[in-house]
Amino acid sequence: MSLESVPPKYAQLVQALQRRIEAGTYPPGSMLPSEHQLIQEFGVSRPTVVAALRVLREQGWIESQQGKGRFVRGRPAMASVESNRTGQAYLTNPETDSPGELVEAGAVALPNRVAALLDAEPKSKAFLRRRLVTREGEPSELVSLWLPLELSEGTDLTSGDPLPQGIRQHLQSRKGVRFDHIVEQITARMPTAQEVKQLGMPKNVPLLAVFGAVRDASGRPLVVVEVLLPADRHELEDAYPVA
């Protein structure tokens, strides 16, 4: 679920109830207030409450027991992991949240893998925005954003300043595009001489390369985010439900 800077009322209610569950106001096993109680307390309509409760149930925060009510399960075990998926984080978080510097911005020839993810011809031109992200004052990762030239026009992606909003929100407000899903690929390779220098890493240490290909609801490719992580400084973790 996408929560924009001014979330709709049901999303605000979801956030409020999640905070109460995490704080122990509604401990695991306790009964959640009734729809009527939530309507009265938060001053919202019944459809707003129903939508918020549906989201909480689908995400695993609460469960419904027929004839009894809704009971708190607690914070889902996967919530913190899922929110930190590498490709998604760089598309949704403001650049101002990640200290670093812009090292490249402009039209460049596409490498083969990125061209395939964008459904473009190899070596054709696309827009690249690349930042060197630092953690605790040291180089940490290289983040590259690739997108068709026409999608970069009229945006702030050429700016040397970090964007105060996420790439997703920026492109949605400037170009009207809607991100629907991400296909993520993870590979390993040895760094180039330039990457060794930029990341301040030993040349015999491999890189983890995470590619997140963003598509709209029709399957049309919009953006590819590439994150290069020195393997001796990072590890990747994921979680998924067991069917």
Side-chain angles (χ1 to χ4, degrees), residues 187-226:
T187 64
R189 64 171 175 81
M190 300 307 294
T192 65
Q194 184 180 18
E195 290 163 349
V196 166
K197 182 178 180 180
Q198 288 175 320
L199 289 164
M201 61 182 292
K203 61 182 179 181
N204 60 343
V205 171
L207 283 172
L208 295 174
V210 181
F211 294 89
V214 184
R215 296 177 179 267
D216 64 15
S218 70
R220 178 173 65 101
L222 299 172
V223 176
V224 171
V225 59
E226 175 192 14

Side-chain angles (χ1 to χ4, degrees), residues 37-179:
Q37 289 172 317
L38 293 173
I39 290 170
Q40 293 298 313
E41 179 179 358
F42 290 93
V44 295
S45 65
R46 184 175 182 276
T48 295
V49 170
V50 170
L53 294 176
R54 183 181 66 250
V55 170
L56 290 171
R57 185 180 68 252
E58 291 173 350
Q59 293 183 348
W61 293 80
I62 64 174
E63 62 181 353
S64 298
Q65 296 184 16
Q66 189 171 5
K68 294 183 179 180
R70 298 177 179 86
F71 292 82
V72 176
R73 297 179 63 186
R75 181 178 179 83
M78 298 189 304
S80 61
V81 177
E82 289 183 327
S83 65
N84 288 326
R85 283 181 170 164
T86 305
Q88 180 176 339
Y90 289 103
L91 291 166
T92 57
N93 296 342
E95 287 185 346
T96 48
D97 288 355
S98 301
E101 62 176 310
L102 186 71
V103 295
E104 190 171 358
V108 298
L110 284 169
N112 290 341
R113 177 181 288 272
V114 178
L117 292 173
L118 284 175
D119 289 347
E121 291 294 326
K123 308 307 179 185
S124 60
K125 291 292 185 71
F127 183 86
L128 166 65
R129 179 179 176 84
R130 176 171 289 154
R131 295 184 75 237
L132 176 63
V133 176
T134 57
R135 311 285 181 190
E136 299 180 355
E138 299 292 332
S140 177
E141 58 251 45
L142 273 171
V143 182
S144 300
L145 186 77
W146 307 81
L147 62 161
L149 292 174
E150 64 272 15
L151 196 56
S152 69
E153 296 172 355
T155 69
D156 293 336
L157 297 180
T158 57
S159 171
D161 297 326
L163 299 179
Q165 57 188 179
I167 298 298
R168 174 181 182 175
Q169 185 180 356
H170 187 69
L171 290 179
Q172 180 175 308
S173 63
R174 292 296 182 90
K175 306 297 289 188
V177 296
R178 296 282 179 174
F179 290 10

